[in-house]
Amino acid sequence: MRSRRWFRVAAGGVAGLLAGVGLAIPAGPASAANPIITSIYTADPAPLVVGNTMYIYAGRDEAPTGDNNFRMREWHVLSSTDANTWTHHGARASIATFPWAGADAWASEVEPRNGKYYWYTSVNGRGAGWMDIGVAVGDSPLGPFTDAKGGPLISDSTPNSSGLNIDPTVFVDDDGQAYIYWGGYWGARAARLKSNMIELDGPVVTPSGLSNFWEAPWMFKRNGLYYMMYAANDTNGCVTSSSYACQRYATATNPMGPWTHRGIVLGQVSSTTNHAGVVELNGQWYMVYHTANAPGGGNFRRSVAVDRLYFNADGTMQRVVQTSTGPGPGPGPGPGGPPAGTNLATSATASTSYVSAWESIAALNNGGVPANSADKSNLAYGNWPEQGTQWVEYTWPSARTLNRIATYWFDDDQGIDLPASCQVQYWTGSAYANVPGQSSCGVAGNTYNVTTFNSVNTTRLRLNITSRSGFSTGLLEWLAYQP
């Protein structure tokens, strides 16, 4: 949340909020597009992957139209096994979960430890000061959750606490040490947690290197590198107005920093606040964030969205592309990557109309799994400086029956770009012909584009690739499937 526009709730308002804590929202399927749920307004999403399931913990916005205040009193949970189709499990915690709290079910995050699930929340306590961080605990990702401590974990009375104690992010490292980051009003804070997950283990410190930090930290680890993502509201490439926010990120080799700022990973969204989390599900990384894009939405009636996130070979993050369609079905349970099925490309001989001297036709069927369209770690096919239509081809020693392909395009952000179009053809025995019943030949980057067609029996399959004006084209993988 952006605290610049937050307001305290008057005593009478608190009573009204608490009176409605028990209201039930029916659970059930949620939208498969962005926003992923429109039956209620949701905000400040925190993703968690357990096995092959992603859970999203989000606060519920309840401000009526025209009320320019954050009216929030409960947290809801959604889940998915493919980041595309979501189940809404309803409210799983509320202000009433904490007897010592008075209002404001703001940003939260759940972290597993020792068979338990600890839900760290931003709430308005009844004691001195404003916002506190509480902890609830449950035996499963869906609870039930109960107050784990009987009072705040962090409050204004905590030495060196933030100017606004909100937006906790908790991380347990490989060695078992747990860490908590939090803060608003430009006041990032960090501390170690004891193994019981409900007590600080040492002093609160002010991390260094989080350039332009405003609020909403999110911490995770990938390939031995620590990542800290957070909301910033500067106009130095971040947002058009400081009333809005983007998501910047930094990396470190130690969970307590110092941090090195790396850039922007999520640009300005349609709501003034910008709160996001990052998680990996079945080999694919995702950005979970909120916008004001649900019907009737606004700055106090927000909605959760999910899109794919990609990393460069050096570990830096590509800026997330915000979509209204959502990420589409992700890889199923398992190592992730190519679409399921029997890929016959690995037994074929690849050829082409042209390949650049420094690229390789072997990239097409060497079994590599690209991390993104710029990933050349498993070789790349490219036909620079040729433009217009070029082709790649598979030849088998005897006829094969085929009914779909999957293409992973190469884009080096230089002379090779995503194609304008493509067409699949097969060898009839005397000439090439377009495959019958071909679906749209996808040209999206950073993903496998699946093209289907009526089954053909052939010894050769060709893919004609037409470039965009001024560019050449390339491929990282080209898969060919039997029915």
Side-chain angles (χ1 to χ4, degrees), residues 94-338:
S94 69
I95 296 168
T97 302
F98 304 98
W100 49 270
D104 300 332
W106 287 352
S108 68
E109 183 183 337
V110 172
E111 181 71 13
R113 181 76 181 268
N114 300 326
K116 302 284 188 180
Y117 294 84
Y118 294 87
W119 199 336
Y120 297 83
T121 64
S122 307
V123 291
N124 188 344
R126 291 192 174 94
W130 185 5
M131 296 301 295
D132 300 327
I133 293 175
V135 190
V137 64
D139 292 327
S140 82
L142 296 176
F145 290 91
T146 58
D147 186 8
K149 190 173 175 66
L153 169 65
I154 297 165
S155 68
D156 285 355
S157 63
T158 303
N160 194 36
S161 64
S162 173
L164 191 60
N165 294 305
I166 57 170
D167 300 350
T169 181
V170 175
F171 168 79
V172 178
D173 208 350
D174 300 332
D175 62 2
Q177 178 61 60
Y179 301 85
I180 183 169
Y181 275 78
W182 75 97
Y185 286 158
W186 306 283
R189 296 293 185 268
R192 290 176 172 83
L193 287 172
K194 293 184 178 180
S195 59
N196 63 14
M197 302 296 281
I198 61 172
E199 294 179 272
L200 299 185
D201 187 13
V204 173
V205 301
T206 301
S208 63
L210 301 181
S211 301
N212 301 112
F213 176 92
W214 168 247
E215 60 184 7
W218 180 270
M219 185 178 182
F220 67 100
K221 186 178 183 181
R222 177 182 179 270
N223 293 343
L225 189 64
Y226 300 92
Y227 291 77
M228 182 65 67
M229 187 174 66
Y230 53 91
N233 64 347
D234 62 282
T235 55
N236 184 27
C238 172
V239 289
T240 58
S241 163
S242 59
S243 295
Y244 289 82
C246 69
Q247 287 284 322
R248 293 187 177 274
Y249 78 103
T251 59
T253 55
N254 185 288
M256 294 294 277
W259 298 91
T260 300
H261 177 253
R262 296 298 185 187
I264 297 170
V265 65
L266 179 67
Q268 181 174 315
V269 296
S270 54
S271 59
T272 51
T273 59
N274 194 330
H275 196 119
V278 167
V279 74
E280 182 183 23
L281 175 68
N282 297 326
Q284 173 64 57
W285 288 85
Y286 296 93
M287 174 78 74
V288 182
Y289 59 102
H290 70 224
T291 68
N293 293 346
N299 293 329
F300 306 96
R301 297 154 66 86
R302 297 159 295 177
S303 49
V304 171
V306 180
D307 277 306
R308 295 185 184 229
L309 167 68
Y310 298 96
F311 291 82
N312 297 312
D314 63 358
T316 56
M317 293 195 285
Q318 297 182 18
R319 189 180 293 213
V320 169
V321 176
Q322 300 175 41
T323 74
S324 60
T325 56

Side-chain angles (χ1 to χ4, degrees), residues 345-417:
T346 55
S347 62
T349 299
S351 59
T352 180
S353 56
Y354 184 85
V355 60
S356 307
W358 53 88
E359 308 292 10
S360 174
I361 188 64
L364 297 183
N365 59 348
N366 66 358
V369 180
N372 53 65
S373 284
D375 180 9
K376 297 178 61 176
S377 60
N378 292 295
L379 303 180
Y381 160 78
N383 51 45
W384 191 89
E386 301 301 310
Q387 298 182 27
T389 298
Q390 301 295 318
W391 54 262
V392 292
E393 180 179 301
Y394 283 145
T395 302
W396 290 271
S398 59
R400 301 290 191 269
T401 301
L402 305 159
N403 72 344
R404 63 188 171 118
I405 66 166
T407 52
Y408 205 112
W409 301 108
F410 175 39
D411 179 2
D412 65 0
D413 288 325
Q414 298 180 62
I416 293 178
D417 198 4

Side-chain angles (χ1 to χ4, degrees), residues 2-53:
R2 177 177 307 282
S3 49
R4 174 172 294 170
R5 300 189 65 182
W6 294 343
F7 305 90
R8 295 177 186 261
V9 180
V14 171
L17 289 175
L18 292 174
V21 165
L23 291 176
I25 300 297
S31 172
N34 284 329
I36 64 172
I37 179 172
T38 56
S39 58
I40 61 172
Y41 297 108
T42 50
D44 306 323
L48 170 69
V49 169
V50 180
N52 294 318
T53 302

